[in-house]
Amino acid sequence: WLKFCSGLPASSPSSQLVTLIAMALLAVLARGSAARMAPSAAAAVRTWAPLQRPMLARAFSDFKFAKTHEWVRMEGDVGVLGISDFAQGQLGEVVYCDLPDEGAQFKGQETLCTLESVKAVGEVYAPADCEVVEVNTALSDEPATVNSGPESDGWLVKVKFSGDLSSLMD
């Protein structure tokens, strides 16, 4: 290794590659020894290691999804219902939302509302037996909110479930 490195001109691409490999090796070694160092020394080692990847953790979601691309987010005993980002993308720009009236009751897999877009009409299904307790009235003025914020401001209805939600996915 040393013979190979000492025989390379400093400006050659091979020399630069060797330098990068050496830096990566030092970063890996420093990461292992950083845990055994004092906190301030460990922080110093982490700041100079350019090849170290940030640690990512899985963020658990409050959303549950149906196979037909509806989502449910529970707020106490009331479920907020909308369509997934994938579904709104497939549907295209929503131009009209035909939402149910408050107090309407639906069986699981029954059509809860329809969304009309420039491409098609999409049906939104009740994920379980439920009763509508609130409707997103902002969608009557601005139905494209379903596209711009399908999992936030573009929610469709709030419902009280009386059926089983165990078929929903995380």
Side-chain angles (χ1 to χ4, degrees):
W1 171 262
L2 290 176
K3 282 184 181 181
F4 176 74
C5 292
S6 63
L8 295 174
S11 62
S12 74
S14 298
S15 175
Q16 293 170 355
L17 178 63
V18 168
T19 303
L20 282 173
I21 292 171
M23 287 176 61
L25 182 59
L26 287 173
V28 168
L29 292 173
R31 188 176 9 194
S33 63
R36 294 183 296 272
M37 293 181 186
S40 61
V45 169
R46 268 182 273 159
T47 58
W48 72 266
L51 300 177
Q52 184 176 358
R53 261 193 258 156
M55 289 183 34
L56 301 175
R58 179 175 179 216
F60 291 96
S61 174
D62 294 334
F63 293 90
K64 299 279 187 184
F65 292 88
K67 291 180 182 178
T68 51
H69 299 283
E70 292 86 11
W71 58 261
V72 175
R73 183 183 68 235
M74 295 304 292
E75 294 178 349
D77 62 342
V78 174
V80 182
L81 185 93
I83 62 169
S84 69
D85 187 48
F86 175 80
Q88 72 79 21
Q90 294 297 306
L91 192 57
E93 184 183 350
V94 176
V95 293
Y96 179 71
C97 300
D98 185 19
L99 300 173
D101 296 325
E102 291 181 11
Q105 295 186 350
F106 297 93
K107 298 282 184 197
Q109 302 308 311
E110 191 176 355
T111 301
L112 190 101
C113 66
T114 56
L115 302 175
E116 295 180 19
S117 74
V118 293
K119 290 198 294 188
V121 174
E123 294 183 332
V124 179
Y125 303 103
D129 296 354
C130 61
E131 177 183 350
V132 177
V133 294
E134 187 179 341
V135 175
N136 189 350
T137 55
L139 297 179
S140 61
D141 294 330
E142 195 61 45
T145 307
V146 172
N147 298 107
S148 62
E151 295 175 359
S152 58
D153 296 338
W155 61 273
L156 303 170
V157 293
K158 292 186 179 182
V159 295
K160 266 197 176 181
F161 289 106
S162 56
D164 183 29
L165 295 174
S166 64
S167 64
L168 296 178
M169 303 174 285
D170 289 337

